[in-house]
Amino acid sequence: MLDSKLLIFAGGFLAGTVGVKALQTEPVRRAAVQAVAAGMRAKASYDDIVEQARAEVEDVVAEAAYVNAVEDVDY
Amino acid sequence: MRFSIEHEIPGRVRVRLGGTIPERDIDVLSQVVVAHELVREARVYPRIGSVTVRYECVPGARREVLTHLARIDSEMVEAARPACSVALAPRTHSLLLDIANLVGGFYLRRWFFPARLSALWTFWHYRSFVREALSSLLHARLAVPVLDASAIGVSLVQSDPRTASETMFLLDLEETLEDYTRARSQNELIYSLLAVPETAQRVVGSREEAVPSTDLAVDDLIVLRTGNPVPIDGTVERGVAMVNQAALTGEPLPVERTSGDDVFAGTAIDEGEIYVRVRKSAGETKLRSIVALVEQSSNLRSETQERRDRLADAIVPWNFLLAGIVGLVTRNITKVAAALMVDYSCALKLTGSISVLAAMSESARLGFTVKGSKHFERVAAADTIVFDKTGTLTEATPRVAKVIGFHEWTRNRVLRLAACLEEHYPHPVARAVVKAAAEANLKHREYHTEVAYIVAHGLASTYNGERVVIGSRHFVVEDEHIRVSDEAAALIAAEMGGLSVLYLAFDGELVGVIGIEDPLKPGAAEAVADLRALGFEHVVMLTGDNKASAARVAAEAGITEYQANMLPEGKHAYVEGLRRAGHHVVMVGDGVNDSPALSEADVGVAMAAGTAIAREVADITLTDSDLQALVTLRRISMGLSRRFDTSYRTIMGFNSTLLALGIAGAITPQTSSLLHNSSTVALGIAATRPYA
């Protein structure tokens, strides 16, 4: 039990060290940049979606309020 | 600018512009859009490059608004930028985005990340909680951060990163909301204070003219007198004055400023007269002075809130003790976790600040600025309200109704000399005299020497070598020993019934009287009746005016307790007496002569048209002069107190039940944590309901 945990820890340590070394090679580095850039794009479009949704929800609310106001006048 | 219409109903349109809107243009753009007279509100969505415009629904409005939008170009935006110097104000428009990011990140990790990676993230994130807990422990305080960190830590020790990350997510959410409430209430305060117009007396040659302080340019010479705000940064050229710099430095006592000294915008003249050379224009300085004021006032948290926060912290050691006992007795880590998982502070703090924010923003919308949330509580607890008369119960603009001249003095001569003196004194009655002279087209040159201002008494000066005094009967007749002949007294009594009377004496002789009409504000009587109905046991009016006019105004307003012929010291002493008798006092006033009483009262409320010094010492400023705002203020304050009480009871009851159930083993720590956290958020949302 303890041994397996120790192994995982050692594995993580190794992966980290190798990872840093690998980052210094050009192709890996370029791939990492691309990955982070994709992440940032995903984040930005998520933010856009949130704001678009907000604008549309507010449109719907305003329209609903207007519909109610008009009905009040009719009756 | 070019745009397409995305959505439209009458009175509201949302348009889409070419691209995204840069951060620095958001405020400027909405200001430019709102500048049109028909536009009521504009909201900018920067990321999607969209703008919502609400406008007045009148015939032809749609076309005008759309033309206005089309006309906006980069030049207009650039031109508006200097006036819109709110870059210092904290940003608030991104709350939704911040929350969306928190929620999105949380579920992204939960649903799409491999469990291992998710757990790794949780451990990484846990560091910030540990850091806060350690800093609390370093200050030898067993406070809420320690409890938070322990609760999360127990989940981690039990290899339950899911619960740990859930707890951290809710704590983060709460922190975001708290930051937002703080920034939001500060912003509203800054904007409402920016909107209050200020004028200054500019000296051109031998003349003085009143100009909006925003029109002052560098190197202009202005004169500042008792009660005036300092609208700019500048250097004193001549004269001496005591300057109240509390808003900038926090120093409560006024400091003496004389030739060569600097004075700063946002301060106010306590007493004296100085000529100041403008060094920096108002546009540059106004925002800074307001931000300084707001930063000071936002520290004034409500007492109940403070008490409950302290209580929340005080419960923490008992929480640990309970967990320890449970651990010793049951030897069951799950039950220990249950005892740690529920804390009271989180919910108490969140509902507290949201309730206060709701009250603050509602207040700002309804026309008053509250400098700190503790004042709501004081207003709710008050049983006595004290009004100043002129400018508070009565119209801010009294007018000259009658002028009588004695001996060879014509009415015009009386008015001219009176105006010449009174123009140096910021008081509604003085303004009425100056206005009457201007309307009668009377020119007055400055022949007199420096005007001495005797608070609440009147003015004295020397004119062509003769002493001239103007003021109340008390001042002119008793202090200055001017004799009033029997015929004059009879004439005054007959002509001036119900009016406030100014006596003008020249060279030791009464030469004229001016009757000032001071009509009650519309709605004042209703407001007084409403205030009584809302639990004010005593409604009192204090005035420096004579008994007859005090009695008239009091009767019209439905006030039975009043004091006439009051000096500022008298008003102050009266309020002090009330407080010593155990009353909680709200004082409403507007003038220099009210400021001692305003600062003595539990809550000082200054009218919008009041002098800078009154606004300076007041805790609450009305942005319009309607007294109904006081009724609303009381309603909101009482609503806030009630909301504090209900949410306190709910939180205590609900969470204690959770704690008991958790320790008894009826529910798992996870369920207890989920119920605890979601009830916290639900109560927070409930706290945003409007009050009035």
Side-chain angles (χ1 to χ4, degrees), chain B residues 439-627:
Chain B
E439 276 165 8
N441 223 355
L442 299 172
K443 299 263 186 305
H444 43 91
R445 300 270 311 269
E446 305 277 336
Y447 285 123
H448 58 79
T449 59
E450 190 181 319
V451 177
Y453 161 61
I454 300 125
V455 174
H457 288 269
L459 303 165
S461 186
T462 313
Y463 192 90
N464 290 346
E466 307 293 353
R467 182 167 173 82
V468 49
V469 291
I470 185 166
S472 66
R473 186 189 152 83
H474 174 85
F475 170 56
V476 174
V477 177
E478 282 157 39
D479 293 355
E480 292 283 327
H481 306 296
I482 307 292
R483 210 182 63 81
V484 181
S485 66
D486 291 342
E487 310 93 88
L491 188 62
I492 293 168
E495 294 275 321
M496 299 288 177
L499 301 177
S500 313
V501 186
L502 282 179
Y503 287 69
L504 177 69
F506 183 76
D507 191 18
E509 200 169 13
L510 183 70
V511 295
V513 290
I514 299 175
I516 309 280
E517 188 180 46
D518 196 11
L520 198 67
K521 272 180 193 163
E526 288 85 347
V528 168
D530 288 349
L531 287 172
R532 277 192 211 282
L534 286 173
F536 279 106
E537 287 163 25
H538 300 279
V539 181
V540 186
M541 182 182 87
L542 304 180
T543 176
D545 222 337
N546 65 51
K547 207 150 201 165
S549 100
R552 178 184 61 84
V553 172
E556 280 178 37
I559 295 176
T560 47
E561 298 169 67
Y562 66 88
Q563 299 283 326
N565 297 318
M566 288 291 250
L567 306 177
E569 304 88 287
K571 291 185 184 180
H572 177 264
Y574 191 88
V575 171
E576 207 181 1
L578 283 171
R579 290 194 63 196
R580 203 167 309 123
H583 293 292
H584 297 278
V585 184
V586 178
M587 165 84 204
V588 193
D590 75 328
V592 178
N593 52 359
D594 300 322
S595 45
L598 285 176
S599 38
E600 172 63 30
D602 293 280
V603 186
V605 181
M607 305 302 288
T611 49
I613 197 83
R615 290 204 302 268
E616 179 85 21
V617 299
D619 306 311
I620 297 173
T621 321
L622 303 186
T623 43
D624 72 73
S625 58
D626 191 357
L627 288 176

Side-chain angles (χ1 to χ4, degrees), chain B residues 64-270:
Chain B
E64 262 196 62
V65 169
L66 292 183
T67 325
H68 167 64
L69 288 180
R71 254 206 311 267
I72 295 174
D73 54 18
S74 57
E75 259 171 55
M76 265 171 96
V77 171
E78 285 313 315
R81 199 182 294 283
C84 182
S85 48
V86 285
L88 275 171
R91 306 218 72 92
T92 57
H93 67 261
S94 58
L95 172 73
L96 189 86
L97 216 55
D98 289 345
I99 290 180
N101 278 329
L102 268 178
V103 177
F106 177 70
Y107 283 104
L108 180 74
R109 285 193 299 278
R110 172 152 295 193
W111 291 338
F112 300 107
F113 276 28
R116 283 279 158 80
L117 202 58
S118 202
L120 210 61
W121 174 276
T122 307
F123 273 107
W124 184 253
H125 192 36
Y126 181 51
R127 287 177 326 140
S128 62
F129 288 90
V130 173
R131 203 179 308 129
E132 271 184 53
L134 285 179
S135 106
S136 172
L137 283 177
L138 275 180
H139 291 95
R141 290 178 55 229
L142 199 58
V144 171
V146 185
L147 185 62
D148 288 344
S150 315
I152 305 165
V154 169
S155 307
L156 288 176
V157 167
Q158 287 182 288
S159 325
D160 182 9
R162 254 178 103 88
T163 307
S165 74
E166 214 167 70
T167 313
M168 283 193 281
F169 162 63
L170 286 160
L171 288 170
D172 286 342
L173 193 64
E174 175 209 314
E175 198 185 312
T176 309
L177 284 172
E178 245 192 53
D179 285 350
Y180 174 78
T181 56
R182 203 170 308 121
R184 173 75 182 269
S185 52
Q186 287 189 2
N187 258 14
E188 299 220 340
L189 210 51
I190 290 171
Y191 276 103
S192 57
L193 291 173
L194 272 175
V196 177
E198 276 182 351
T199 59
Q201 293 285 114
R202 180 159 60 191
V203 182
V204 184
S206 63
R207 275 185 321 109
E208 284 179 21
E209 55 188 15
V211 294
S213 58
T214 42
D215 287 1
L216 292 173
V218 173
D219 278 344
D220 277 352
L221 186 65
I222 61 169
V223 56
L224 301 170
R225 300 194 175 86
T226 305
N228 285 157
V230 180
I232 43 83
D233 287 357
T235 311
V236 180
E237 294 246 311
R238 57 180 196 275
V240 184
M242 302 303 288
V243 179
N244 185 331
Q245 304 197 330
L248 287 189
T249 60
E251 166 67 49
L253 293 176
V255 292
E256 188 180 282
R257 285 284 173 255
T258 182
S259 312
D261 289 340
D262 289 328
V263 290
F264 301 99
T267 58
I269 310 291
D270 231 28

